[in-house]
Amino acid sequence: MARVIGCLRWAGGAAIYRNNELGGQSVFCVWFGLGSVYQERNIVMSKSKSSARSAEPSSKSTHKAGAQIIVDTLIELGVDTMFGYSGGVVLPLFDRLYDAPIRFIVPRHEQGGCHMADAYARASGKVGVMIATSGPGACNLVTGLATAMMDSVPIVAITGQVRTELIGNDAFQEADTTGITRPVTKYNCIIKDVKDVARTFREAFHIASTGRPGPVLIDVPVDVEVARCGSDGSNKMDLPGYKIRTRGNARQISMAAKAINKAECPVLYVGGGVISANATKQLRALAEKAHIPVAMTLLGLGSFDQNKAESLDMLGMHGSAYANYAVQQCDLLIAVGARFDDRVTGKVKTFAPHAKIIHIDIDPSSISKNVHVDIPVVGDAKQILTELVKEVEYRERGQWFKKIAQWKKKFPFSYDKTSTNVKPQYVVEELWRQSKGEAIITTGVGQNQMWAAQFYKFSKPRQLISSGGLGTMGFGLPAAIGAQVGRPDAVVVDIDGDHSFNMTLTELRTAVEHELPIKVCILNNGYMGMVRQWQELFYGKRYSKSYLSNPEYEKVAVALGAVGITVDKKSDVPKAIKKMLKETRPCVVDFRVEREENVWPMVAAGASLDEMSGLDILESMA
Ligand SMILES: Cc1ncc(C[n+]2csc(CCOP(=O)(O)OP(=O)(O)O)c2C)c(N)n1
Ligand SMILES: [Mg+2]
């Protein structure tokens, strides 16, 4: 038995190293570990029977069941809100949750619940917790876990598993959950002994929320939930292989400061890591003291106030022309909490061709992974930026800011304001105006997501919640629910696509049930708009399978107990948004927008960042 746990822990350790220590190399180890786990598991099947029997409930009332230890440990760890869906093997746990002081939200689908836990974490800065049953329940978590993994979001997912003695038998609702979820979690493990429950949960929360955050999954066989033990096991975490470097190397920080002080035309390239490190104040201090313009990734939006002159807004495939030009012409690029994703870099070979690159990141495996880095500084962004600010000097950089101002004037994000149709960009702009730029915005995936990023000006961290790395359609609505649960006082609006909304719309009932006043703005173009845009540009307008017939969303909303509004006239946009913002019930507004509108500018996949199409269109509407 001990051998099995050791093996599992080793395999889990390898999964951690993938993100923190060894980079790509250890992927082999992960899979090797996985194989050996499964073999080991099968080998011990017969042996485990005796221990399973000995783990039957004891008559001693001082002994706590595994399920109770789970609940007590969650409370000890500060959990007051959870998301989860029931099933046979989690019944002992759900029974213990019956009168626990924890707010519990049951989604309509485990994927929705996982996105809720994810957005709860992104909006609140806490760890999101999601429970699912074995087999189908656990399988339904995969998309949610992968979404959180790609965007480095701290989630602890708890799955029930069949009895230990049945594992490997193709038992009813058995799935190899740790095997299936290993590539989409920062760490996962199966608990085989009730004595390990408390320690494992403490470790899970620690791993999920420290270093580069990420989802952790704990698989708990039902016999472990009912088995009892006299203590809650060891209080100490036991993670010898998990080492986080938080303090940046002082010499590297000084080198970075010198490079900044010398640069004529530097650019800060900021990702979601700055937000998860709660380092936005320090970022602002650096940008202001050293006088550096700031370009943000999709997930970095909100880290620097977009209303400020130094903001270059979003960079990348649908980023601003001025951000992309600035990156391509800068002599120093300072990446903070960002990972040089291909949607940001375009053609890697020609990315920031004149720049020396500084990379500040908590995850050493992301240094020089996609783009060669000249000055790496590994550690916590908040600590490193604090030190860096002390060493940088103010420089006027008049020529550089003049050039940027010219690009901004020539190629602003824009659209045809004279059109009589409902332009999706207008809806987002009007929402920004009426919500005073203060709403938390969640999004679907596609054009809606890009317009939300381009036309809502974010000023605060944790204000935009979007699936960046995985690009998960269906994220917007459950994310709005999770964000509203995490931030009850905020106005939370899901700017969604019609087809994205279709994927998880049953969660509207979850919002109704929990009286969450979320708002949904569907930018309904009747298409998988982003797919249609690519087909228009690269496939000769052959719109192959990129549209579906939509239901009447107003009626769907009403049927699910929410408020529904349809807008098909431009002049009705402001009053519909006003009504929506006043609503105390969940409210869905179906904006019938211009069907074949495109997102500009656009860097085609594989093109250089400054090879943008649509600039003539933006220029003509500037
Ligand atoms: C789950 C999932 N399936 C498929 C895709 C591929 N995809 C990306 S954008 C898109 C179209 C999205 O359509 P819609 O939600 O209506 O948004 P629009 O682009 O029209 O604003 C598709 C199919 C995806 N990102 N996620
Ligand atoms: Mg659409």
Side-chain angles (χ1 to χ4, degrees):
M1 200 61 189
R3 248 178 82 212
V4 177
I5 292 168
C7 178
L8 284 165
R9 295 188 53 69
W10 175 81
I16 296 166
Y17 292 140
R18 182 165 67 90
N19 271 347
N20 290 282
E21 305 287 346
L22 302 175
Q25 262 186 356
S26 64
V27 171
F28 169 72
C29 299
V30 173
W31 286 105
F32 174 71
L34 174 60
S36 61
V37 167
Y38 212 79
Q39 275 175 11
E40 285 285 321
R41 239 194 230 165
N42 287 327
I43 290 166
V44 293
M45 283 312 120
S46 53
K47 287 188 205 162
S48 66
K49 279 184 187 160
S50 57
S51 58
R53 223 179 289 128
S54 66
E56 283 300 301
S58 138
S59 55
K60 286 186 197 160
S61 58
T62 51
H63 285 203
K64 277 201 274 184
Q68 188 63 53
I69 298 172
I70 292 175
V71 173
D72 292 349
T73 312
L74 290 172
I75 292 168
E76 168 208 301
L77 290 164
V79 174
D80 57 13
T81 306
M82 285 168 81
F83 304 85
Y85 206 96
S86 194
V89 295
V90 283
L91 280 175
L93 183 51
F94 272 69
D95 183 70
R96 297 296 86 209
L97 286 165
Y98 186 65
D99 36 23
I102 294 179
R103 182 176 189 194
F104 203 93
I105 315 281
V106 181
R108 267 48 185 174
H109 187 292
E110 289 88 349
Q111 179 191 347
C114 206
H115 292 327
M116 288 173 201
D118 171 322
Y120 172 84
R122 296 193 208 210
S124 68
K126 299 180 192 164
V127 175
V129 184
M130 170 68 195
I131 310 180
T133 193
S134 64
C139 288
N140 278 348
L141 294 182
V142 171
T143 306
L145 292 170
T147 302
M149 182 73 179
M150 289 290 268
D151 290 348
S152 306
V153 181
I155 291 181
V156 170
I158 305 160
T159 47
Q161 183 54 277
V162 300
R163 291 201 308 277
T164 18
E165 72 200 47
L166 292 178
I167 292 174
N169 279 12
D170 290 342
F172 178 63
Q173 295 196 324
E174 183 193 359
D176 177 11
T177 303
T178 48
I180 290 166
T181 61
R182 180 145 297 137
V184 293
T185 49
K186 181 176 173 185
Y187 174 70
N188 72 12
C189 63
I190 180 166
I191 301 178
K192 292 228 173 171
D193 190 323
V194 67
K195 287 196 212 79
D196 296 327
V197 168
R199 176 179 51 75
T200 307
F201 271 76
R202 290 179 194 127
E203 289 170 357
F205 275 71
H206 179 69
I207 294 169
S209 59
T210 54
R212 179 173 174 177
V216 170
L217 181 140
I218 308 174
D219 204 25
V220 191
V222 64
D223 52 314
V224 175
E225 289 172 51
V226 295
R228 289 172 178 256
C229 79
S231 77
D232 64 358
S234 162
N235 282 330
K236 286 198 188 122
M237 289 191 289
D238 181 20
L239 295 166
Y242 183 72
K243 294 197 171 60
I244 304 294
R245 199 190 309 167
T246 51
R247 287 197 76 77
N249 179 293
R251 207 173 61 90
Q252 298 293 99
I253 294 173
S254 288
M255 277 169 69
K258 273 193 196 114
I260 291 171
N261 292 338
K262 228 172 78 185
E264 301 277 336
C265 30
V267 168
L268 270 157
Y269 148 44
V270 176
V274 168
I275 294 174
S276 55
N278 296 316
T280 52
K281 259 194 206 152
Q282 292 71 15
L283 170 75
R284 185 186 302 180
L286 176 65
E288 284 174 1
K289 185 170 178 205
H291 204 210
I292 307 173
V294 183
M296 289 161 273
T297 67
L298 176 71
L299 294 191
L301 288 172
S303 61
F304 189 80
D305 185 348
Q306 288 188 268
N307 302 300
K308 288 196 172 279
E310 291 93 347
S311 172
L312 293 171
D313 304 323
M314 183 171 73
L315 81 166
M317 181 175 270
H318 291 294
S320 68
Y322 35 97
N324 291 348
Y325 278 142
V327 167
Q328 290 304 87
Q329 296 193 20
C330 71
D331 61 358
L332 180 71
L333 188 72
I334 309 139
V336 194
R339 60 185 175 89
F340 298 86
D341 166 74
D342 59 276
R343 284 295 190 264
V344 158
T345 60
K347 190 175 175 180
V348 172
K349 266 195 178 158
T350 54
F351 176 68
H354 315 295
K356 188 175 228 185
I357 298 184
I358 299 171
H359 190 184
I360 299 169
D361 208 286
I362 190 81
D363 178 7
S365 77
S366 73
I367 304 285
S368 289
K369 184 179 178 185
N370 301 338
V371 167
H372 173 76
V373 170
D374 300 290
I375 309 175
V377 193
V378 173
D380 172 47
K382 194 172 185 169
Q383 185 268 333
I384 293 167
L385 291 176
T386 305
E387 293 305 314
L388 197 54
V389 169
K390 292 181 195 159
E391 297 189 38
V392 295
E393 295 154 7
Y394 184 85
R395 291 201 43 190
E396 194 54 45
R397 302 194 167 102
Q399 284 303 319
W400 184 224
F401 276 94
K402 198 170 149 202
K403 213 173 195 182
I404 289 170
Q406 282 165 353
W407 289 323
K408 280 191 172 180
K409 193 156 179 242
K410 199 164 174 199
F411 308 115
F413 285 127
S414 195
Y415 60 95
D416 181 6
K417 294 185 175 124
T418 61
S419 168
T420 49
N421 296 335
V422 181
K423 289 281 182 182
Q425 302 95 325
Y426 169 56
V427 174
V428 178
E429 232 173 38
E430 184 60 20
L431 173 66
W432 171 70
R433 205 182 59 76
Q434 288 200 34
S435 61
K436 302 186 174 64
E438 304 256 288
I440 292 181
I441 303 293
T442 68
T443 75
V445 170
Q447 294 181 313
N448 62 88
Q449 180 181 32
M450 293 299 109
W451 285 318
Q454 291 181 341
F455 289 90
Y456 200 98
K457 300 291 171 216
F458 298 92
S459 57
K460 296 186 189 75
R462 305 189 184 280
Q463 218 192 329
L464 173 64
I465 296 176
S466 187
S467 168
L470 199 67
T472 309
M473 286 172 71
F475 180 76
L477 175 63
I481 294 172
Q484 188 77 78
V485 172
R487 299 273 298 278
D489 299 332
V491 173
V492 179
V493 185
D494 168 27
I495 297 178
D496 221 329
D498 45 332
H499 289 65
S500 292
F501 184 69
N502 286 341
M503 287 203 171
T504 52
L505 59 77
T506 50
E507 299 301 351
L508 197 54
R509 187 65 197 170
T510 312
V512 170
E513 188 170 308
H514 291 274
E515 299 180 348
L516 299 165
I518 57 151
K519 292 105 184 43
V520 182
C521 292
I522 305 176
L523 304 180
N524 183 357
N525 50 17
Y527 278 111
M528 299 173 193
M530 188 56 91
V531 172
R532 188 209 56 74
Q533 177 168 343
W534 284 51
Q535 288 172 329
E536 177 187 330
L537 301 177
F538 311 120
Y539 293 88
K541 293 197 175 182
R542 286 158 57 84
Y543 296 155
S544 179
K545 331 283 182 228
S546 50
Y547 53 90
L548 295 165
S549 64
N550 281 326
E552 285 189 44
Y553 293 113
E554 179 181 339
K555 288 189 180 153
V556 170
V558 172
L560 290 169
V563 176
I565 302 171
T566 307
V567 174
D568 38 28
K569 285 214 304 276
K570 185 180 177 181
S571 55
D572 289 342
V573 171
K575 57 176 182 270
I577 291 179
K578 193 171 175 197
K579 184 167 186 303
M580 176 190 85
L581 289 174
K582 274 200 175 145
E583 262 305 330
T584 51
R585 284 188 294 157
C587 179
V588 175
V589 190
D590 177 6
F591 291 98
R592 308 281 171 90
V593 299
E594 177 91 52
R595 286 174 60 86
E596 299 197 12
E597 185 72 14
N598 286 333
V599 181
W600 302 119
M602 177 173 188
V603 180
S608 295
L609 206 51
D610 48 5
E611 291 170 5
M612 289 171 272
S613 37
L615 290 188
D616 49 337
I617 299 170
L618 293 183
E619 195 176 356
S620 71
M621 293 179 303

